[in-house]
Amino acid sequence: MTAAGYRVPALIATKRDGGELDEEALGWLVSGYLAGLEGDAVDAAVSEGQMAAFLMAGVVRGFTAAEALALTHVLVDSGEQLDLSGLDGPTVDKHSTGGVGDGTTLLAAPLLAAAGVRLVKLSGRGLGHTGGTLDKLESIPGLRVDLTPDELLRVAAEVGCVVAAQTDRLVPADRALYALRDVTATVESTALIASSVMSKKLASGAGTIVLDVKAGSGAFMPDADAARVLAGLCVRIGVGAGRRCVALVTAMDQPLGTGVGNALEVAECVRLLSAPPAGRLAEVALEIAAAGLSHARGDVDLDGARDELVRRWAAGEALEVLRRMVAAQGGDAEVCERPGEVLPRAPVRRDVTAAAGGWVASVPARAVGELAAALGAGRTRKQDRVDPAVGLQLHVAVGDPVDPGTRVVTVHARDEDAADRAAAAFVDLLAVSDAEIPPPATLLDVVT
Ligand code: URA
C-alpha cells in the first residue's frame, strides 16, 4: 500500500474482473510505470510485468469510454504541449491510423497551408507493413525532420506547414506504453488506440483535428464498423478536450496510392500536386483537407471548402507550399520539379505482368506493405534503417480490367535476387477474377 492508498496488484485485479479505474488511479499507475523505467527508487514504481498484465487485462475485458478519456488526459499531462497560439490563422492537425501507400499528409498539409491554415504535423516512422511520413520525407536529400519546437513554429509561420518528428518531451508516457504494447500484443484495443492517438493530437496544440481512421485488411481496424467505433471515441475525446474534431473512415484493403516505398511515394505526391486532383490518394487527401478547412475557418461549408481546395490544387499552390516546406526543412526543393532526378533510385527495376486476363479482385494492402518492407522500404524493429529507393510501383487497382501480359507492378529493388523474390511473391498475392469487379468505395463514412 502506498501513500496514495493504491496497490498495483489490486488495480490489475480490478481491470481483470471488468471493473473501471478513475483518472487518479490511472495517473498513479502510469506515472509509477514511467518512474520505474527511469530507475527512480520510489515506492510507487510499477514494473514492466505489472503494466503488461494491466494492459492485457484491459484489452481482454475492455476499457470504458470514461477510462479512454481519463487515460488520454494522463498521457497528455506526462509531458509538454506545443503552444500554437502565436501562429497567425486557424490551426489544423491531421492523423491517419496507419496504412499502405498513404501519402495523404504530403498532399493535405501543403494544400491546407495554401488555404491560409497553419499546420504543425508531428509524424511517425513506418513499422511492420505500414509506411511512415518521416521515412518518406527523409528520402528527399538533405531534409531534416528532427526540428526543435522553435524551428517547428518558425517554419509553420513562414511556410504555413511543417512535418517533423515528435519531440521526446511530448507525451513521453504514450511512447513508453506504445513500445510495451507493441511487444505484448496489446495494441489492438479501441480505447488504447484512441487515447494514444488523441494524446498526441491534443499535445500538438491544434484547434481542429482531422482523423483518417483506416478500415480493412491493411488497417488496425478490420472493418468499417470497428473503425466507426474508434472514430467516434476519438472525436468524443477531442471534443471533450475543447477541440473541433472530425474523423473520416476510409478503406485500407488495398494500397491507397500507386507507390509503396518512400521515394516512390514522394514522387507520386509531387506528380499528383502537379495536376488537378485525380485518383484515390488525391480523393482522400482532398476530403481530409476539406473537412479540416470547413471546421477550422467557419466561413465555408464542406462543399465550398472542397471547391476552393480543388482550385488551389489545380493552380499549383499546394505544390509551391510543399516546395517551400522542403526548402525550409533543409531539403532539395528541386524534388518538386524533377522528382525522378532528385530522389534516390533503386539499381534494379523489374516489371511483372498478369498471367491471366480478367478483373483485378484484390491487391491486399498488408501483403503489399510487407513485400515493400521485405525489399527494405520498411522496418520490422524500431532500430532498423530503411532503404529510401526500393518498393513497388503499382499499375493496377481493384476493379481494373487486365489482359494476359498487362504490366501490373514494377519492383524497385537493391539487387536481382530481391527483385526475383518480390516479383514471384506479387504474382501470388494479386487476385484476378473472371467476373467483372466494381471499383470499391474509398471514403466510407464521416464521423463528427
Ligand atoms: N497509432 C497510434 O499512435 N497509437 C496506437 O495505439 C495505434 C496506432
Side-chain angles (χ1 to χ4, degrees):
M1 181 83 74
T2 65
Y6 294 120
R7 284 181 55 248
V8 187
L11 295 183
I12 298 171
T14 301
K15 227 35 260 169
R16 180 199 61 201
D17 299 337
E20 187 179 57
L21 299 186
D22 64 13
E23 187 166 331
E24 192 189 342
L26 286 168
W28 182 84
L29 205 57
V30 170
S31 58
Y33 178 57
L34 287 183
L37 285 183
E38 284 155 15
D40 293 353
V42 293
D43 63 349
V46 174
S47 73
E48 191 165 89
Q50 289 175 315
M51 185 49 90
F54 170 76
L55 291 170
M56 186 55 88
V59 168
V60 172
R61 297 303 301 248
F63 291 100
T64 64
E67 283 177 319
L69 221 92
L71 186 58
T72 309
H73 295 154
V74 167
L75 297 178
V76 171
D77 289 345
S78 72
E80 295 176 0
Q81 297 178 40
L82 277 182
D83 179 4
L84 305 186
S85 61
L87 291 175
D88 179 23
T91 51
V92 174
D93 199 356
K94 65 116 352 205
H95 184 87
S96 149
T97 56
V100 179
D102 177 10
T104 47
T105 294
L106 300 184
L107 302 173
L111 185 58
L112 278 163
V117 162
R118 305 286 166 213
L119 198 132
V120 175
K121 168 81 176 95
L122 301 180
S123 286
R125 297 189 181 279
L127 190 64
H129 71 283
T130 63
T133 304
L134 298 184
D135 295 329
K136 293 171 204 183
L137 278 172
E138 281 183 339
S139 68
I140 302 173
L143 190 137
R144 286 173 49 232
V145 295
D146 287 313
L147 305 185
T148 63
D150 283 350
E151 286 176 313
L152 286 173
L153 295 177
R154 182 177 52 74
V155 177
E158 285 173 12
V159 176
C161 63
V162 59
V163 182
Q166 191 181 306
T167 77
D168 286 349
R169 301 203 292 259
L170 240 52
V171 280
D174 175 62
R175 212 171 13 265
L177 284 186
Y178 193 85
L180 182 61
R181 288 168 57 209
D182 201 27
V183 294
T184 56
T186 52
V187 170
E188 282 86 353
S189 148
T190 305
L192 292 180
I193 295 175
S195 57
S196 166
V197 166
M198 292 309 292
S199 65
K200 286 176 283 222
K201 295 298 102 182
L202 297 182
S204 299
T208 297
I209 299 166
V210 186
L211 301 159
D212 177 11
V213 180
K214 306 286 189 191
S217 62
F220 281 122
M221 295 293 133
D223 57 53
D225 285 343
R228 268 185 208 103
V229 173
L230 175 60
L233 185 54
C234 288
V235 169
R236 196 167 150 190
I237 292 171
V239 171
R243 312 295 171 92
R244 285 179 286 268
C245 196
V246 53
L248 312 185
V249 177
T250 64
M252 186 40 70
D253 287 304
Q254 62 176 329
L256 185 56
T258 61
V260 183
N262 298 298
L264 293 172
E265 293 185 46
V266 171
E268 179 178 14
C269 289
V270 168
R271 267 198 317 274
L272 285 172
L273 289 178
S274 307
R280 288 178 300 115
L281 172 55
E283 179 194 350
V284 174
L286 195 57
E287 287 308 313
I288 289 170
L293 187 61
S294 58
H295 277 75
R297 251 193 17 204
D299 62 344
V300 62
D301 65 10
L302 187 62
D303 289 338
R306 196 183 297 110
D307 289 347
E308 174 178 337
L309 292 168
V310 168
R311 190 172 43 73
R312 291 184 185 278
W313 181 318
E317 291 180 32
L319 184 63
E320 172 58 16
V321 173
L322 181 66
R323 198 187 61 71
R324 288 173 43 224
M325 187 191 91
V326 168
Q329 294 186 222
D332 185 347
E334 285 286 299
V335 72
C336 291
E337 278 90 51
R338 299 178 291 107
E341 291 166 48
V342 171
L343 292 166
R345 279 183 287 180
V348 178
R349 292 183 189 199
R350 178 77 44 81
D351 285 335
V352 179
T353 55
W359 284 265
V360 175
S362 164
V363 189
R366 183 177 292 264
V368 171
E370 282 167 357
L371 202 53
L375 281 163
R379 46 172 81 72
T380 46
R381 296 169 309 161
K382 281 203 164 64
Q383 62 270 30
D384 292 346
R385 288 177 70 86
V386 300
D387 183 338
V390 300
L392 302 163
Q393 185 67 49
L394 302 165
H395 304 299
V396 292
V398 174
D400 285 352
V402 289
D403 293 318
T406 300
R407 194 169 58 137
V408 290
V409 72
T410 304
V411 176
H412 294 240
R414 193 45 53 196
D415 56 45
E416 299 287 345
D417 282 352
D420 286 344
R421 281 194 301 275
F426 194 87
V427 169
D428 286 344
L429 64 80
L430 183 79
V432 175
S433 157
D434 289 340
E436 187 167 351
I437 305 272
T442 305
L443 181 64
L444 305 178
D445 209 346
V446 179
V447 178
T448 51

